[in-house]
Amino acid sequence: MKEKMPKITVAIDGPAASGKSTVAGILAERLGYLYFDTGVMYRAVTWAALARGIPIEDERAITRLAEELRIEVLPPTVDDGRQYTVLADGQDITWKIREAQVNRYVSPVSAYKGVRRALTLQQRRIGAPGGVIMVGRDIGTVVLPEAQVKIYLDASLEERTRRRYLEYRQRGILRPFREVKEELVQRDRIDSTREMAPLRPAEDAVIVDSTCVPIDKVVRRIERVIRQALEQVVGG
Ligand code: CDP
């Protein structure tokens, strides 16, 4: 499979904590594809704005930051459970971009048009060669609308809150369940109502609901969709 098949482009979108990164990481490994999580870029800009004391309301300054910040996503450089290493202007911010402050402000920052323009451009460059599984909110609709496979991964709010709550706990952070839930509700609301590239399934997306479905089953389901698309490409 890895050598003989041509490489296609896979877009996975969906709301916060719907399991996109876990599923995409496993699939990319299996298929020998590049896994690219676009959320990391929006988080990096948000983190850098907070670190530099740029007010989140200052759209112009934040847009300039998004245009200038050098974001790199590399294979893990430290064996601490990370899926990849994220650098911003050379600084390792892999875990910093998961902090509560970033979660709080990432959706307002992501709604700025100039920020989206700058990051979308970089994401298209990364996706252009194919052989990539790109994850985000607008990959199938805006970033890579030509992707041969589009998945919209969803799960109930309760289930997504449970997953995020456990993720925090694994990292030694104890947050009230209700607070985690409220954060997801707020982020989904901003992400799906913004003017530019709102979160929604592409018309040709396969919708996969992962509520109460074990991860390996979700992976198998999506892998089947990818294999069918590959067969179509090979069959011409
Ligand atoms: O991991 P989680 O699902 O919590 O979020 P993420 O994928 O890291 O994305 C963080 C935030 O970045 C989202 O809530 C969106 O506001 C923004 N984002 C976006 O606007 N477009 C993307 N393609 C990816 C992320």
Side-chain angles (χ1 to χ4, degrees):
M1 168 102 193
K2 275 189 186 176
E3 301 84 29
K4 288 190 200 119
M5 285 290 195
K7 294 203 165 181
I8 59 171
T9 304
V10 179
I12 304 184
D13 292 301
S18 55
K20 303 180 297 288
S21 9
T22 312
V23 166
I26 298 172
L27 281 168
E29 175 87 36
R30 268 198 207 165
L31 299 169
Y33 277 31
L34 171 75
Y35 159 49
F36 193 81
D37 179 0
T38 58
V40 158
M41 302 183 85
Y42 292 94
R43 286 175 178 274
V45 172
T46 308
W47 175 82
L50 292 166
R52 294 173 194 196
I54 301 173
I56 296 298
E57 316 75 60
D58 192 342
E59 181 168 353
R60 274 179 65 162
I62 296 208
T63 300
R64 203 173 323 121
L65 177 65
E67 287 164 353
E68 288 170 4
L69 191 69
R70 195 161 45 86
I71 306 166
E72 294 169 274
V73 184
L74 312 171
T77 52
V78 183
D79 185 14
D80 60 359
R82 61 181 63 187
Q83 274 187 310
Y84 38 69
T85 287
V86 185
L87 303 182
D89 285 343
Q91 183 183 350
D92 187 340
I93 56 163
T94 309
W95 292 116
K96 293 191 165 79
I97 60 172
R98 304 285 157 194
E99 284 169 4
Q101 280 293 86
V102 174
N103 282 335
R104 179 152 172 217
Y105 293 112
V106 68
S107 286
V109 165
S110 307
Y112 290 148
K113 292 183 183 171
V115 170
R116 303 206 70 80
R117 253 179 236 120
L119 301 188
T120 298
L121 212 66
Q122 297 181 41
Q123 291 157 12
R124 288 201 178 123
R125 230 175 275 141
I126 292 162
V132 61
I133 302 186
M134 198 171 278
V135 169
R137 301 289 186 287
D138 59 342
I139 311 306
T141 50
V142 174
V143 179
L144 303 171
E146 307 300 326
Q148 289 92 341
V149 172
K150 296 180 188 177
I151 305 290
Y152 188 86
L153 190 58
D154 210 346
S156 71
L157 175 63
E158 208 61 27
E159 172 97 14
R160 293 187 291 116
T161 308
R162 201 178 53 83
R163 289 178 193 164
R164 190 48 46 98
Y165 174 82
L166 291 175
E167 266 172 43
Y168 275 123
R169 223 178 53 181
Q170 266 174 6
R171 284 171 27 221
I173 304 165
L174 270 178
R175 294 185 63 195
F177 192 85
R178 224 161 11 110
E179 193 182 291
V180 176
K181 189 177 194 170
E182 184 53 26
E183 182 184 292
L184 294 186
V185 168
Q186 291 303 338
R187 208 134 61 78
D188 287 346
R189 186 184 55 75
I190 300 173
D191 291 348
S192 50
T193 56
R194 69 184 171 217
E195 209 178 305
M196 190 175 187
L199 167 68
R200 62 175 173 81
E203 271 174 25
D204 48 350
V206 176
I207 298 183
V208 177
D209 193 316
S210 72
T211 313
C212 302
V213 184
I215 198 78
D216 55 322
K217 215 170 156 197
V218 176
V219 169
R220 278 205 304 276
R221 165 94 207 279
I222 300 176
E223 198 174 355
R224 270 203 305 276
V225 179
I226 297 176
R227 283 180 194 279
Q228 275 166 8
L230 277 167
E231 276 162 24
Q232 274 186 3
V233 170
V234 173

